[in-house]
Amino acid sequence: MNEVMQWTMKRWVPALVGCFLLLVLSGCTFISDPKTLMKTPELSSEKASLKSVIEAELKGAPIVSPRNVSDVSAIRVADLNKDGIDEAVVFYETPEETVRIHGLILARLGDTWEPKVRFDGEGQVLESFDLKDMTGDGHIDIIAGFSSGDKELQKGLTIYTYDANEVEKLLSLPYNHFMIDDLNLDSTPDITVVTVKKDQYSTVTTYQYDASFESGSFEELDHIQLEDHITEYYNAVHGNITPKVKGIILDAALGTNDAYSHVIVMKDGKLVDLLDQDFTYKAYPIMSGDVNDDGILEIGRLEIPKGWEFIAFDEIPWLFSYYQWDEDKGLKFVMQQYMDLQGRFYFSFPNDWRGNVTIDTKNSDKNKYLRFIRIDNNETLAEIRFFSLSEWERYKSDWELLARDNDKVIGFLSHSELRVNKGEKEIKR
């Protein structure tokens, strides 16, 4: 049999997806996987010296890390103004002042750093923080997202530029999500902002810097209004929709369970929503993303295993199916996997299992025992079982350990060359 296990996302994504589904069902607040908060410091050997200078300059004011879990490093270093000298950018907090968040830029001078300029932030919380050339002139700009800390309110996006003497604002916009990419494929970055009018509609707008004017400014390329009667998008990703087309995917939840996705690209300078909601419907919210690590975004949908069509909704052991956009065929199936809704384990099916494998309905219970079988001959391909601690001692020589807690162990038994992911490494029978 072909190798089955495909790394379906970076290690933390399956756990996030499972936890998100579980939390949606329970009505709890979404909590990020702590592993996503770990990041190697950018400054390594010079970090201590730089941090010491910053702390002395701030006189006790705390350094602020962005809330965005994709990059929580508090200190960023780059040559901002193309003068051959590195600058360091850091945000800090002054809770007792009217302006609570501030930025500080320092320049490298030999073996030390010299504070150059301070500037004000736009909110109470630093949501995101990035350094990119947004104008195409080789200067690195500071892109920061701020909020009041209230999830019900929109956030504020600000782009700053630095010229060795002062910091200037290039753009300030409200947003619920923003993405920096190159949707019009002109080799110049653009920024797409999503704003939500709660329970009414949302607007997607793409901007790009236009240097044709004397002063230069960000100009709107296009916008599209989505008739989404939602509170928020629970996920927004951007990147390649096909090998040659860039786009964004917005995942929207309707009420407790139902969800759907938008796939938005730019064609001939116009933003286009490629798919009707019916084609992206899912029974529970699933995060879209690059699931199979091929550099192209996928949309997730839930499918009922054959034989479970008339079983109670909450008892169904759902299969996760992922699709890519194809310009000729529309949605194209890419892969399928079974995922524990609590994020403790998952495994991806080989392509030849598609339509040929289900989960035994007579003996299976997604929280006790799962038997994966061929539809045509009932052959057992894999088993997952929840053991008591005492039972596990009798079976552990034959079963792989997937997860363990205080009173049970989850084991996996393969009857084929099947690999399973249990969070930290892949296991092969």
Side-chain angles (χ1 to χ4, degrees):
M1 179 177 292
N2 293 331
E3 183 178 290
V4 176
M5 177 63 202
Q6 306 290 335
W7 277 107
T8 58
M9 274 194 179
K10 294 180 181 178
R11 293 178 180 175
W12 56 272
V13 176
L16 277 178
V17 175
C19 290
F20 180 82
L21 283 165
L22 182 67
L23 293 166
V24 165
L25 295 176
S26 64
C28 296
T29 301
F30 180 73
I31 302 175
S32 300
D33 184 339
K35 287 183 288 185
T36 68
L37 301 179
M38 300 178 185
K39 182 176 177 62
T40 302
E42 293 186 16
L43 300 177
S44 60
S45 63
E46 296 185 27
K47 181 182 179 181
S49 173
L50 174 56
K51 188 175 181 182
S52 175
V53 173
I54 291 172
E55 289 176 345
E57 179 69 17
L58 297 185
K59 296 179 174 59
I63 294 173
V64 177
S65 294
R67 183 181 284 182
N68 182 359
V69 296
S70 65
D71 190 348
V72 297
S73 53
I75 304 170
R76 313 287 174 89
V77 174
D79 180 2
L80 297 180
N81 57 332
K82 210 166 58 171
D83 63 355
I85 299 173
D86 280 344
E87 283 84 26
V89 184
V90 63
F91 283 90
Y92 63 98
E93 187 176 30
T94 55
E96 304 304 320
E97 296 182 7
T98 303
V99 179
R100 182 164 181 164
I101 302 293
H102 308 268
L104 170 65
I105 297 176
L106 305 94
R108 188 200 303 268
L109 289 179
D111 295 331
T112 188
W113 295 83
E114 178 182 280
K116 300 295 289 185
V117 65
R118 300 182 188 227
F119 58 99
D120 290 341
E122 301 295 317
Q124 305 297 307
V125 176
L126 181 65
E127 293 286 342
S128 61
F129 170 27
D130 206 351
L131 301 179
K132 290 181 183 292
D133 177 9
M134 294 300 300
T135 63
D137 64 358
H139 289 236
I140 305 300
D141 304 302
I142 303 166
I143 304 104
F146 302 97
S147 77
S148 67
D150 187 341
K151 289 185 177 182
E152 297 295 317
L153 300 178
Q154 285 185 331
K155 294 168 275 192
L157 166 69
T158 304
I159 298 179
Y160 305 91
T161 187
Y162 171 68
D163 68 359
N165 295 307
E166 61 180 2
V167 172
E168 178 187 355
K169 291 181 189 176
L170 295 180
L171 181 70
S172 292
L173 291 171
Y175 79 97
N176 292 94
H177 298 275
F178 76 87
M179 291 141 282
I180 299 171
D181 212 314
D182 182 14
L183 296 189
N184 60 356
L185 302 176
D186 67 348
S187 300
T188 301
D190 46 50
I191 187 162
T192 299
V193 174
V194 181
T195 57
V196 178
K197 186 72 172 177
K198 185 178 177 182
D199 300 324
Q200 297 183 50
Y201 61 87
S202 61
T203 305
V204 180
T205 309
T206 301
Y207 300 88
Q208 190 172 58
Y209 190 79
D210 187 345
S212 62
F213 299 102
E214 183 176 346
S215 60
S217 63
F218 280 88
E219 301 294 328
E220 178 182 319
L221 295 181
D222 193 36
H223 72 272
I224 185 173
Q225 185 168 303
L226 306 174
E227 300 304 321
D228 289 340
H229 305 289
I230 61 171
T231 301
E232 64 177 352
Y233 294 104
Y234 65 84
N235 182 44
V237 292
H238 65 97
N240 279 87
I241 301 299
T242 75
K244 297 181 179 180
V245 177
K246 294 270 195 175
I248 66 175
I249 300 179
L250 301 176
D251 294 327
L254 288 171
T256 304
N257 294 329
D258 298 340
Y260 60 91
S261 300
H262 292 284
V263 181
I264 299 173
V265 300
M266 183 166 281
K267 291 185 176 181
D268 300 322
K270 297 293 183 181
L271 292 174
V272 178
D273 190 3
L274 293 176
L275 293 168
D276 186 272
Q277 294 178 10
D278 293 341
F279 290 100
T280 62
Y281 170 80
K282 55 210 82 179
Y284 288 135
I286 302 176
M287 300 250 191
S288 298
D290 182 8
V291 180
N292 60 352
D293 225 10
D294 65 350
I296 299 175
L297 300 176
E298 286 86 30
I299 296 172
R301 298 174 69 180
L302 288 173
E303 295 187 14
I304 300 175
K306 184 176 178 59
W308 290 82
E309 293 83 357
F310 302 105
I311 306 296
F313 187 86
D314 291 339
E315 296 177 13
I316 297 173
W318 296 93
L319 301 180
F320 287 58
S321 296
Y322 294 93
Y323 298 81
Q324 290 177 355
W325 168 253
D326 184 279
E327 293 185 84
D328 297 321
K329 302 176 182 178
L331 287 181
K332 176 185 68 175
F333 174 80
V334 175
M335 63 173 291
Q336 190 173 67
Q337 64 184 204
Y338 178 80
M339 187 185 299
D340 173 59
L341 294 186
Q342 296 186 43
R344 294 167 293 190
F345 63 87
Y346 70 100
F347 66 88
S348 300
F349 299 166
N351 289 337
D352 60 3
W353 278 28
R354 171 71 170 166
N356 296 319
V357 171
T358 189
I359 298 171
D360 170 39
T361 58
K362 294 182 179 179
N363 301 304
S364 295
D365 180 322
K366 64 183 179 181
N367 295 311
K368 295 180 181 179
Y369 174 76
L370 292 163
R371 176 175 169 249
F372 296 84
I373 60 174
R374 289 186 61 90
I375 292 173
D376 54 0
N377 60 13
N378 213 42
E379 175 190 355
T380 301
L381 297 173
E383 300 173 76
I384 292 173
R385 181 173 170 182
F386 292 64
F387 295 93
S388 67
L389 298 182
S390 59
E391 287 176 329
W392 178 247
E393 292 303 312
R394 301 199 303 271
Y395 287 93
K396 67 181 181 180
S397 60
D398 297 317
W399 290 67
E400 295 287 357
L401 171 67
L402 292 183
R404 180 195 295 267
D405 62 17
N406 292 332
D407 61 356
K408 64 177 175 293
V409 174
I410 304 173
F412 170 75
L413 180 62
S414 174
H415 297 266
S416 59
E417 290 296 309
L418 182 65
R419 292 182 181 181
V420 173
N421 183 281
K422 61 178 183 177
E424 295 303 322
K425 61 181 179 178
E426 51 182 340
I427 305 297
K428 184 176 181 180
R429 289 288 296 167

